[in-house]
Each structure stands twice: as structure tokens, then as C-alpha cells.
């Protein structure tokens, strides 16, 4: 590392031993350690995705066997959902930025924070072991009784991995929530909190309340599979649909664990590069809480054709439409924030533009699926696959990259190439649309998801998808290249390369281990861009 | 555009245009909102661009009327979609009374269809055009989902339960039939076709197969399994008479009443102790494992037939000794 050229001691160069990393209690180092593990999971999940797309270029299942294909999409889903999307923004960016943004020295429980990372890694290792020992083929949704009785793959080992990783999520949520309550700098009132903090707070709520349910569900699945308890197996008096209720009671709110923190990052970046206050601050803040709360009441919209009563389907359809409104409010407020701003086209803002386009499509196509009469046709087709990738990749991953590009100079003290980053955002945006837009069409045509082989007439659209995926792959590879290059060879970023407002920009880059040389005191609302300089554009 | 990219599936049922109209409406509404936001973002990004990064924006912090407007208007639009979609949904889930009934079972990895008149087929379903068809189905193992894209209908096949779906085909021809719920190794091979025929052709096809009707097969099974020994037609047996019962209500030993339908009959065969009829002891053994799902369906069809004819055949044969259940492992009908 070339950290020796930096003028002062910082959290990266304060100690160099491996033990100093593995035993660190510094939230910033723990954030970097999450970055490494999550990036590895993203690479693994991405390789699975690439193999899936290559297989699907022809209608015949000719590249891999059907069992292998089933394992590929299962492990793609498990890696991406549990080890990338859920931890990406809270555990990497949240860990790094949260204490800095509220003017704290660290999170409330630094040792528990380190414990969270170890629990996460142990969960990840179990899941990796399940993959190496033959994989798992149930789909990431683990629907019973296939997963509990019929599958011959490593369901238990994967389940244990997810069970363990869940505790990491619970502890991180708990840690953040206490930190936000107890560790704010003097003057940092609730309504002076940056919106990223509001988003992390709402997310912590979901993590704490929702994650125990998936732990219980996985445990019930394990007990049925290993000991023959009849929770879900109808031959033993169980009910397979019960599993779906339990699974989605966590896994739908989990979607909000994945999307709320990136939304918070988007609010930070859009304010900074529009040089303006966020339009409708309190509406954006409370819409995060509304999403977190209403998100718990929509789970059965995954079950409209799974044998629930039509009247309960009606209620869940109504609530699903209702939960769309806070997301719409956020989108309109972000758009209005740009109005009469002074918009500086830097790389993080390019990712925001990408996010806006893709999240918009992802959110709006959710209305198709919330609509009962239409969902009967669309359920379990590629339309659903396209919809949730627009939310998860187009929304969550684009938002993650917006945040990562925004805070990268703070995390590393180094600046990456702006033009390379802009090109990467463009490649991912174009590649993503080419990959997933055709899937809406092939879904409406009736192509079911999780098909290893498919009818001939779906081929052209699938080839387009695969072509788009390869463009996206180039984009992601490019990001890895210029970020790594900048880490070792990049120009010094200085404390505040974006001339951004916020406590994290008032300390040096990379920050000192204690974050601030003296306790910051907050006297104004966040995003005071307009008042900082007189040069109104 | 490349030639030959299909953009829209065939409309081959009375429900398909209803679903498609809803689809077009939602597409139009969402396209409007998407374009609105995209145009604003692009216009703002270009119009207010500052290449220097030195300027700052105007101090605008929010607008309550705007917040209220862009909360209420999307909500109202969403409610229009909600109501419309719910109306369509109830058309989809409520089968018309006079539907032609077909039974089906899904299992890893095939669909078996059983016509009332006796024909059975695998991964193929023949139906007449212009007549409502109702399929009642279950799964013998894991979850499956019966999906006819051209008819815009699907429903999960769930072990231990009956699901149903219906459609009225509007065009003759062959259309896809898919399993839509992931079910293991050959999930993508659990596909077939539905053949929509002119009514005359359908009748000809139906009579071509021969064999016993489903009810007649149920009657055979009723005797093989020994049901006939207790369920005497005059009600004097150790079990209640089944004549004329289908579609009525039964009073249970607990005092509750239960509708006698497909699901209740299935439960009574597989878990007879769960809902005992008032006035009868818990004597009936379970037939779980002794009768296949298709066997149960034939028994249901037989019990149904007892309601449409005045004098069922069962009691007259009561004296004939029934073979023990264990001997009847071929209870699923031909083709098993």
C-alpha cells in the first residue's frame, strides 16, 4: 500500500498487521472488511448469472444439465440476496459513513459490530461449503415440500448459512438504531439528520423485527427435513402454503432492507450534485418509515395463485398498491430537488440518473403484479424476474454504486477516474436495460421463470437478454479495475472533493481513527448548499 | 426492430381480452408517469447543468400542495387499477356453473388429465371450443402450477389440496401448457399442449378412447377398497349412506356443519377421523397410501353420480365380499 504518502495518520495506515484488521473495532475498517466479502459474493453470484445467461441463449438445455442449471439460479439468488443486497449498503456504506455523518466516534457497540462481521463471514462460509459440496437446487425461496422432503441437495447447510448470516443483520440493525438514538453530535436533532441516516434507521427497524422470522422459518424447515416434523409436509398434516406465508413475511420486508438504504444514499448524492436542499425533506424521511411499516403488511401478494382466499388476496392487493405511494413520493421529491439546482455531472450523479430510470420502471411494473387479475397471468413468469431485477439491481445496486462512488474518496482518500466511472455507469445502464427489458415481454408471452429449456419462440428475446448481460459484465469489471487502480495509484482526493455538505466531509480523507479531532457541533439543517456560497446559479 | 420477435401472446380464451385490456391500461398509465419523470430529470439535468461545480442551487425546500398532489393523484390512479383488476380477478377465480369438468394431477414431471367420460391423457389436454372448462387438480408430490398463457390463467397445484381454474377457449388450435412453479430437476420439461377442438371433433376424440367413465372407475374402486361394506345406500351400514349427499351439508359429531364437496370427500377418505359424521363411530381406517390422487378423484366422481341417480348400485352389492384394501395397489386406474 502507498498509504505512506498520506500526510497524517488515518484509519487505514494507523496499523498494518493482519491482526490489526481482524481485531479492529473501528467502524470504518469493518465497513472495508464488509466491502471485501460482499464484493467476493457479488463476483460469485455474477459468475452464476453469467452461466445462466449463456445457457439461455439457446432454447435447448445444452450447456449444463438441468440439475446444474437449477443449482446455478438457486445459488445466484442466495449469494445475491443474502450476501450482497442485504448487507451491501447498510454494512458497507452504513458502517463507514453513519458515525461520521452524525458526528460520532464509532457505533454504539464497536465489539458487537466486529462480531456481526464474523457472524456474516461464518454464514457465508457455510453457504460456500454448501456450494462446494454439491450445491443446492431449491430456488432461493426454498418452497416446501420440495425443499423439506424431495430435494437431494445441500438444503440444510445452505439454511444454516442463511440462519447464521441473519444474526449479523439483526445485530447491525440493533447497533445502528442505538447509535442513531444515543450517539448524535450536539445539535444533531432528528430533523437535522441526513436522509441516509433516516433510511438506515427505517432499515434497522425491519432488520430487527423481520429477520427473526426467517430464522424461525429456516429452523422449521431444517427440523422438518432432518427429523420429519410435519410443519409443511401435507402427508404429515402440515401445510406447504404456511411456509410461503412465513418466508414472505420476512422476505418481502427484506426487499425494503435492500432498497431503503440505497434510496438514502441517492438522497445524499442528488442533494450534493444539485447543490440544493432535498425537496420535501420530511416527506422523504417519513416515506422511509412508511415503507418500513407498510412493508410488513403486503407479504401475501406473493401468494395470489397459491391457494389463498380471493378476499384475502383483495386485501393484500390493496395494501400493495398503498405501499407504492411512499416510493412515488420519494421519486417525485428527488426529481423536484433537481429543479433550479446547479447540477454538477460527476460520476456519483451519473449513477443516480441510472437509478432514477431503472427504479422508476421497477416500481411501476410492481403495479402490474399488485393488480390481481393481471398477476394470475404474470406470476412466476419472466415478468416477475424482470420486475425484481429492476428493483434489486436497477434500484439497489445502482444506488449502492452511487453511494460507493460518492464516499470512495472519503473511504480511501483517493480519487478514481471520473470518465471511466461515467462510462461504467453508462455500460451498466444500457446493458441492464438490454438484459431485463426483453424479459418483461417474454414474461407476458408466458415464459415461466426457472426454465432450463424453453419454447423456440422465446429465443430472440433471450438472446437479447444474454447480450445485455455481457455488456453489464464489462461495466462491472470496469468498476473493479478503476476503483482498485485508484486505491493504489489514484490522486489524493482531499477532505472534500465534491465540496459536499455534511459532517463526514469535515474531517480528513481517509479519516483519522477517532473520526474527528474535536467534537463537531451541529447548528443547521442538512444540505445547506444554498447558504454556503453566494454564487446562486 | 428485428423481424420475428413476438411481442404479444395469442388470445385464445374469453378471459384473455379482459386481462389484456387491463394490461394495456396499466401500461399506458405507467408509461405516462415514467415518461413524465424521465423527461423532467433529463430536462433539469441539462437545463440546470453547471460544469464548474462552483454554483449553488436556488433555496427551494418543498411545497405542501405539491406533496399532497403527488400523493393523492397516484393513489387515486392506483385505486382505479385496483378495482378494475379485482373485478377481472373474480371473473378468473369464479367458474361458471355449467362448466365441463376435467380432473388433473401434477407430479414430478408430468401433468395427467382425466376426463369424466373416461379418457385420460398425459401432458396433453383436449377441450372443445366455446364451452367453459373447469379443471380441478392437485399434486402428488411437490408444488406445481398449471399455466395456460394463451388463456391467461394459472393456479398452483398443492399437495393435500384441490385447486381449480377455468377457461372458455375461443379459438381452435394448439397452445402451450406449462408448469409455472419450480418443482425440481425437470421443471422445464413439465410442459405440454392444450388442443382446442370444434365440439364435434371433441366428441369424436372423446369417444375414440373407450374405457370406463371416471364415475364407473370410482365405483369399481369403491368395491375394491371395501367402502361398499360400510357405506350402505339405505343408511343401515356402519358408515353413512353416500347417496344424494354431494352438494348438501353434513352435521358432524362436533355439532358443526360442513359442505359436502370435493375437498370434504377427499379429507374423509384420507383422514376420516378429522370430521366424523354425527351418529357414526370412528371406525373408518385411513386410505392414505392405499389410493392415489386419481383414485380419490374417481371416488368423488362416483359419489357425485350417486346424487344424480335415484337408486345407486352400491347397496345391492353390499353382500359381495370386498377384497382387502392392501390387495388393491392398482387403484389409480389404467396407465399407472
Amino acid at each position: 500500500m502507498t498509504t505512506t504518502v498520506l500526510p497524517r495518520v488515518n484509519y487505514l495506515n494507523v496499523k498494518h498487521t493482519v491482526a490489526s484488521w481482524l481485531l479492529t473495532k473501528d467502524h470504518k475498517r469493518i465497513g472495508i472488511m464488509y466491502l471485501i466479502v460482499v464484493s467476493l459474493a457479488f463476483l460469485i453470484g455474477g459468475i452464476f448469472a453469467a452461466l445462466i445467461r449463456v445457457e439461455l441463449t439457446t432454447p435447448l438445455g445444452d450447456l449444463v444439465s438441468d440439475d446444474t442449471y437449477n443449482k446455478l439460479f438457486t445459488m445466484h439468488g442466495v449469494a445475491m440476496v443474502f450476501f450482497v443486497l442485504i448487507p451491501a449498503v447498510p454494512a458497507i456504506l452504513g458502517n463507514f459513513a453513519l458515525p461520521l455523518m452524525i458526528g460520532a466516534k464509532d457505533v454504539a457497540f464497536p465489539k458487537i459490530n466486529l462480531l456481526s462481521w464474523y457472524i456474516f463471514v461464518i454464514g457465508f462460509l457455510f453457504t460456500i461449503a454448501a456450494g462446494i459440496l454439491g450445491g443446492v437446487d431449491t430456488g432461493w425461496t426454498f418452497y416446501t415440500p420440495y425443499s423439506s422432503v424431495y430435494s437431494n441437495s445441500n438444503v440444510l447447510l445452505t439454511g444454516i448459512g442463511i440462519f447464521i448470516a441473519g444474526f449479523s443483520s439483526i445485530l447491525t440493525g440493533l447497533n445502528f438504531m442505538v447509535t442513531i438514538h444515543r450517539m448524535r453530535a450536539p445539535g444533531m436533532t432528528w430533523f437535522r439528520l441526513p436522509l441516509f441516516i433516516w433510511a438506515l434507521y427505517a432499515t434497522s427497524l425491519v432488520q430487527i423485527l423481520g429477520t427473526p422470522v426467517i430464522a424461525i422459518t429456516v429452523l422449521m424447515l431444517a427440523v422438518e427435513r432432518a427429523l420429519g416434523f410435519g410443519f409443511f409436509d401435507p402427508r404429515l398434516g402440515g401445510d406447504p402454503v404456511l411456509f410461503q406465508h412465513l418466508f414472505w413475511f420476512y422476505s418481502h420486508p427484506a426487499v425494503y432492507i435492500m432498497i431503503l438504504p440505497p434510496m438514502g444514499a441517492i438522497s445524499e448524492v442528488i442533494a450534493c450534485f444539485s447543490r440544493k436542499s432535498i425537496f420535501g425533506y420530511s416527506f422523504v424521511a417519513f416515506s422511509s418509515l412508511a415503507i418500513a411499516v407498510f412493508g410488513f403488511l403486503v407479504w401475501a401478494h406473493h401468494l395470489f395463485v397459491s391457494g389463498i382466499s380471493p378476499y384475502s388476496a383483495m386485501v393484500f392487493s390493496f395494501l400493495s398498491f398503498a405501499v407504492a405511494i411512499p416510493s412515488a413520493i420519494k421519486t417525485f421529491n428527488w426529481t423536484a430537488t433537481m429543479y433550479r439546482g446547479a447540477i454538477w455531472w460527476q460520476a456519483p450523479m451519473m449513477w443516480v440518473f441510472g437509478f432514477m430510470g431503472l427504479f422508476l420502471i421497477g416500481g411501476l411494473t410492481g403495479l402490474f403484479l399488485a393488480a390481481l387479475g393481471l398477476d394470475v397471468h404474470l406470476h412466476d413468469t419472466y415478468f416477475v424476474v424482470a420486475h425484481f431485477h429492476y428493483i434489486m439491481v436497477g434500484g439497489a445496486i445502482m444506488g449502492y454504486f452511487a453511494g460507493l462512488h460518492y464516499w470512495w474518496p472519503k473511504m480511501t482518500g483517493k480519487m478514481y477516474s471520473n470518465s471511466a466511472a461515467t462510462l461504467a455507469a453508462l455500460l451498466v445502464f444500457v446493458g441492464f436495460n438490454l438484459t431485463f427489458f426483453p424479459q418483461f415481454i417474454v414474461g407476458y408471452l408466458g415464459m415461466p421463470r426457472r426454465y432450463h429449456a424453453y419454447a423456440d419462440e422465446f429465443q430472440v428475446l433471450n438472446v437479447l437478454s444474454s447480450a445485455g448481460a455481457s455488456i453489464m459484465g464489462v461495466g462491472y469489471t470496469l468498476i473493479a479495475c478503476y476503483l482498485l487502480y485508484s486505491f493504489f495509484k489514484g490522486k489524493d482526493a482531499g477532505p472534500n472533493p465534491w465540496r459536499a455538505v455534511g459532517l463526514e466531509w469535515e474531517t480528513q480523507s481517509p479519516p483519522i481513527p477517532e473520526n474527528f479531532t474535536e467534537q463537531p457541533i451541529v447548528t443547521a439543517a442538512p444540505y445547506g448548499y444554498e447558504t454556503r456560497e453566494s454564487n446562486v446559479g | 426492430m428485428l423481424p420475428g420477435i413476438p411481442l404479444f401472446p395469442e388470445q385464445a380464451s374469453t378471459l384473455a381480452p379482459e386481462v389484456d385490456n387491463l394490461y394495456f391500461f396499466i401500461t399506458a398509465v405507467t408509461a405516462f408517469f415514467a415518461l413524465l419523470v424521465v423527461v423532467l430529470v433529463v430536462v433539469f439535468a441539462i437545463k440546470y447543468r453547471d460544469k464548474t461545480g462552483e454554483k449553488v442551487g436556488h433555496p427551494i425546500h418543498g411545497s405542501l400542495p405539491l406533496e399532497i398532489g403527488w400523493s393523492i393523484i397516484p393513489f387515486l390512479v392506483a385505486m382505479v387499477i385496483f378495482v378494475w383488476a379485482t373485478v377481472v380477478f373474480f371473473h378468473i377465480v369464479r367458474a361458471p356453473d355449467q362448466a365441463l369438468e376435467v380432473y388433473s394431477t401434477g407430479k414430478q414431471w408430468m401433468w395427467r388429465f382425466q376426463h369424466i367420460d373416461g379418457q385420460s391423457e398425459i401432458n396433453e389436454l383436449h377441450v372443445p371450443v366455446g364451452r367453459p372448462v373447469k379443471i380441478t387438480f392437485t399434486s402428488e408430490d411437490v408444488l406445481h402450477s398449471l399455466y395456460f398463457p394463451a388463456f391467461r390463467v394459472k393456479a398452483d397445484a398443492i399437495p393435500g389440496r384441490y385447486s381449480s381454474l377455468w377457461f372458455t377457449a375461443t379459438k381452435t388450435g394448439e397452445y402451450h401448457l406449462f408448469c409455472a412453479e419450480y418443482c425440481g430437476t425437470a421443471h422445464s420439461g413439465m410442459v405440454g399442449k392444450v388442443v382446442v377442438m370444434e365440439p364435434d371433433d371433441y366428441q369424436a376424440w372423446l369417444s375414440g378412447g373407450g374405457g370406463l367413465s371416471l364415475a364407473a372407475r370410482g365405483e369399481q374402486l369403491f368395491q375394491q377398497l371395501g367402502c361398499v361394506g360400510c357405506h350402505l345406500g339405505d343408511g343401515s351400514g356402519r358408515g353413512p349412506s353416500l347417496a344424494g349427499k354431494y352438494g348438501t351439508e353434513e352435521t358432524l359429531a362436533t355439532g358443526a356443519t360442513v359442505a359436502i364437496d370435493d375437498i370434504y370427500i377427499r379429507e374423509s377418505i384420507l383422514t376420516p377421523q378429522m370430521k366424523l359424521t354425527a351418529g357414526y363411530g370412528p371406525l373408518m381406517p385411513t386410505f392414505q397410501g392405499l389410493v392415489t390422487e386419481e383414485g380419490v378423484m374417481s371416488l368423488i366422481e362416483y359419489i357425485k353420480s350417486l346424487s344424480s341417480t335415484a337408486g345407486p348400485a352400491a347397496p345391492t352389492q353390499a353382500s359381495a365380499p370386498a377384497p382387502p384394501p392392501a390387495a388393491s395397489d392398482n387403484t389409480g386406474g389404467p396407465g399407472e
Side-chain angles (χ1 to χ4, degrees):
Chain A
M1 288 201 292
T2 55
T3 44
T4 46
V5 301
L6 290 167
R8 290 179 57 182
V9 163
N10 63 54
Y11 81 99
L12 290 172
N13 68 8
V14 61
K15 274 185 187 165
H16 288 288
T17 60
V18 173
S20 76
W21 279 88
L22 291 179
L23 298 175
T24 185
K25 296 186 284 293
D26 185 332
H27 66 99
K28 301 181 287 301
R29 283 195 164 195
I30 294 170
I32 300 290
M33 282 154 60
Y34 272 111
L35 175 64
I36 292 165
V37 181
V38 170
S39 300
L40 186 65
F42 190 62
L43 176 67
I44 294 171
I47 290 169
F48 292 144
L51 291 170
I52 291 169
R53 283 315 331 163
V54 175
E55 169 65 76
L56 293 179
T57 49
T58 58
L60 298 173
D62 41 13
L63 175 73
V64 296
S65 73
D66 40 14
D67 277 328
T68 306
Y69 180 81
N70 295 341
K71 288 174 181 172
L72 284 175
F73 73 68
T74 301
M75 294 190 294
H76 166 71
V78 169
M80 290 303 200
V81 169
F82 296 104
F83 298 97
V84 178
L85 288 161
I86 288 178
V89 178
I92 299 171
L93 302 178
N95 250 318
F96 180 83
L98 185 148
L100 286 164
M101 291 174 85
I102 62 171
K105 275 188 184 166
D106 207 315
V107 292
F109 308 111
K111 287 179 190 164
I112 291 180
N113 203 17
L114 182 63
L115 179 66
S116 294
W117 184 80
Y118 276 100
I119 293 173
F120 180 71
V121 169
I122 292 168
F124 188 49
L125 289 177
F126 268 97
T127 311
I128 296 263
I132 291 170
L133 296 175
V136 58
D137 73 343
T138 58
W140 81 275
T141 47
F142 297 99
Y143 273 15
T144 55
Y146 184 71
S147 61
S148 62
V149 180
Y150 291 84
S151 171
N152 293 315
S153 60
N154 290 315
V155 181
L156 278 180
L157 211 49
T158 314
I160 291 169
I162 291 167
F163 180 82
I164 293 171
F167 286 93
S168 162
S169 186
I170 296 171
L171 290 176
T172 299
L174 187 74
N175 219 335
F176 284 6
M177 196 173 254
V178 177
T179 306
I180 295 167
H181 271 278
R182 304 294 301 167
M183 307 280 285
R184 285 172 285 133
M188 179 61 92
T189 61
W190 284 92
F191 290 97
R192 285 177 183 167
L193 283 175
L195 287 163
F196 185 55
I197 308 298
W198 274 103
L200 288 176
Y201 188 87
T203 307
S204 302
L205 196 74
V206 184
Q207 285 175 303
I208 293 170
L209 295 177
T211 316
V213 180
I214 192 74
I216 293 162
T217 311
V218 170
L219 202 61
M220 289 167 81
L221 172 61
V223 168
E224 173 156 314
R225 189 173 168 86
L227 306 172
F229 277 45
F231 295 119
F232 310 121
D233 182 359
R235 293 174 311 175
L236 303 171
D239 182 355
V241 182
L242 173 66
F243 177 85
Q244 298 178 33
H245 282 286
L246 290 168
F247 179 82
W248 289 111
F249 187 82
Y250 165 74
S251 295
H252 195 80
V255 171
Y256 300 112
I257 297 178
M258 303 174 212
I259 194 67
L260 278 170
M263 284 172 159
I266 291 295
S267 295
E268 299 303 315
V269 178
I270 212 165
C272 172
F273 293 94
S274 302
R275 301 294 190 223
K276 259 180 95 273
S277 295
I278 278 283
F279 193 93
Y281 170 93
S282 50
F283 288 90
V284 178
F286 282 111
S287 61
S288 288
L289 291 180
I291 289 171
V293 173
F294 283 113
F296 275 107
L297 305 175
V298 298
W299 77 89
H301 67 208
H302 297 267
L303 281 72
F304 288 159
V305 300
S306 307
I308 62 170
S309 111
Y311 295 100
S312 80
M314 208 167 100
V315 173
F316 280 102
S317 169
F318 171 79
L319 290 166
S320 303
F321 280 109
V323 84
I325 303 304
S327 294
I329 292 173
K330 277 183 190 286
T331 306
F332 289 129
N333 278 298
W334 288 325
T335 309
T337 301
M338 292 172 64
Y339 174 68
R340 300 193 74 186
I343 294 157
W344 195 24
W345 289 25
Q346 293 293 295
M349 194 61 178
M350 298 300 124
W351 289 94
V352 171
F353 290 146
F355 169 93
M356 291 287 278
L358 302 183
F359 177 69
L360 196 62
I361 296 175
L364 289 170
T365 49
L367 299 180
F368 291 73
L369 297 168
L372 284 175
L374 200 46
D375 184 66
V376 173
H377 176 51
L378 294 177
H379 182 81
D380 270 331
T381 66
Y382 262 86
F383 193 96
V384 177
V385 175
H387 160 70
F388 71 72
H389 279 88
Y390 265 86
I391 297 283
M392 303 283 79
V393 185
I397 295 293
M398 295 294 275
Y400 163 64
F401 279 123
L404 187 67
H405 283 81
Y406 180 59
W407 283 300
W408 184 261
K410 180 57 62 181
M411 295 167 94
T412 61
K414 297 299 178 65
M415 189 51 94
Y416 48 81
S417 157
N418 191 57
S419 45
T422 303
L423 177 65
L426 186 69
L427 284 174
V428 171
F429 181 79
V430 170
F432 180 89
N433 278 306
L434 187 55
T435 308
F436 290 104
F437 204 85
Q439 295 185 6
F440 286 123
I441 298 167
V442 86
Y444 201 78
L445 287 173
M447 178 168 166
R449 62 191 288 204
R450 297 169 169 179
Y451 263 33
H452 171 233
Y454 55 85
D456 291 343
E457 69 259 34
F458 303 141
Q459 186 177 11
V460 180
L461 290 159
N462 271 287
V463 169
L464 287 178
S465 264
S466 298
S470 52
I471 297 175
M472 229 190 331
V474 172
Y476 289 132
T477 311
L478 182 58
I479 300 170
C481 292
Y482 66 72
L483 286 186
L484 282 173
Y485 179 85
S486 81
F487 184 75
F488 294 109
K489 297 268 168 76
K491 283 186 288 189
D492 282 354
N496 190 359
W498 313 121
R499 292 192 290 284
V501 172
L503 293 180
E504 78 268 34
W505 302 106
E506 292 177 10
T507 182
Q508 66 170 33
S509 305
I512 55 174
E514 306 78 26
N515 290 351
F516 301 97
T517 46
E518 53 191 64
Q519 174 67 58
I521 294 169
V522 181
T523 56
Y527 315 118
Y529 287 97
E530 304 93 332
T531 54
R532 193 182 53 169
E533 298 162 60
S534 57
N535 193 10
V536 175
Chain B
M1 284 297 280
L2 289 163
I5 299 183
L7 294 175
F8 197 72
E10 216 155 352
Q11 285 185 333
S13 77
T14 53
L15 292 168
E18 278 192 64
V19 173
D20 291 342
N21 289 342
L22 180 63
Y23 174 68
F24 294 136
F25 177 71
I26 305 178
T27 305
V29 168
T30 53
F32 168 77
F33 281 101
L35 280 176
L36 179 75
V37 173
V38 166
V39 166
L40 287 176
V41 167
V42 170
V43 167
F44 292 167
I46 293 170
K47 187 172 176 197
Y48 302 117
R49 181 174 182 185
D50 167 33
K51 289 185 182 175
T52 64
E54 302 288 343
K55 292 182 182 170
V56 296
H58 280 261
I60 305 167
H61 293 271
S63 155
L64 188 62
L66 271 179
E67 299 288 351
I68 292 171
W70 64 44
S71 305
I72 300 283
I73 292 170
F75 182 75
L76 293 178
V77 172
M79 284 306 101
V80 172
I81 299 174
F82 165 68
V83 171
W84 183 346
T86 304
V87 170
V88 174
F89 180 65
F90 276 88
H91 290 169
I92 294 172
V93 293
R94 290 207 170 131
D97 289 337
Q98 300 305 318
L100 175 71
E101 298 223 40
V102 177
Y103 286 98
S104 173
T105 48
K107 61 180 167 188
Q108 288 176 325
W109 291 274
M110 57 183 254
W111 293 103
R112 190 181 155 92
F113 294 95
Q114 177 65 58
H115 297 263
I116 304 272
D117 289 352
Q119 283 276 28
S120 73
E121 40 187 340
I122 288 173
N123 290 344
E124 258 190 32
L125 172 63
H126 290 74
V127 293
V129 69
R131 184 167 166 200
V133 176
K134 180 186 175 194
I135 307 176
T136 301
F137 55 101
T138 187
S139 162
E140 290 190 11
D141 38 47
V142 300
L143 298 172
H144 302 282
S145 190
L146 186 55
Y147 179 30
F148 301 98
F151 303 155
R152 311 287 189 271
V153 290
K154 79 160 70 70
D156 284 4
I158 302 162
R161 291 198 195 186
Y162 284 135
S163 309
S164 69
L165 57 77
W166 78 276
F167 54 82
T168 303
T170 51
K171 273 202 298 198
T172 56
E174 294 184 356
Y175 308 99
H176 286 301
L177 137 72
F178 292 135
C179 175
E181 181 64 65
Y182 174 66
C183 58
T185 306
H187 169 51
S188 64
M190 195 168 161
V191 297
K193 62 183 180 186
V194 53
V195 183
V196 180
M197 311 170 89
E198 292 296 343
D200 292 345
D201 297 341
Y202 174 71
Q203 281 308 327
W205 176 85
L206 210 54
S207 53
L212 288 171
S213 76
L214 190 57
R217 240 181 283 162
E219 184 176 359
Q220 279 186 346
L221 201 54
F222 198 76
Q223 291 171 18
Q224 283 171 19
L225 292 173
C227 316
V228 68
C230 297
H231 292 285
L232 301 178
D234 55 8
S236 63
R238 282 171 290 177
S241 162
L242 304 179
K245 283 289 178 64
Y246 190 88
T248 64
E249 287 200 336
E250 184 80 277
T251 306
L252 301 181
T254 58
T257 56
V258 61
I260 301 182
D261 55 9
D262 295 0
I263 293 162
Y264 176 66
I265 297 172
R266 182 177 185 284
E267 279 176 357
S268 301
I269 295 168
L270 299 178
T271 52
Q273 312 291 336
M274 291 270 284
K275 292 178 181 169
L276 283 176
T277 306
Y280 291 90
L283 301 172
M284 181 168 159
T286 174
F287 284 80
Q288 188 119 43
L290 300 173
V291 56
T292 62
E293 290 291 352
E294 281 152 23
V296 174
M297 286 166 177
S298 68
L299 285 168
I300 291 170
E301 198 54 34
Y302 169 62
I303 292 166
K304 264 191 204 173
S305 73
L306 297 180
S307 301
S308 46
T309 53
T316 60
Q317 316 229 344
S319 53
S328 52
D329 41 8
N330 186 26
T331 49
E336 274 302 298

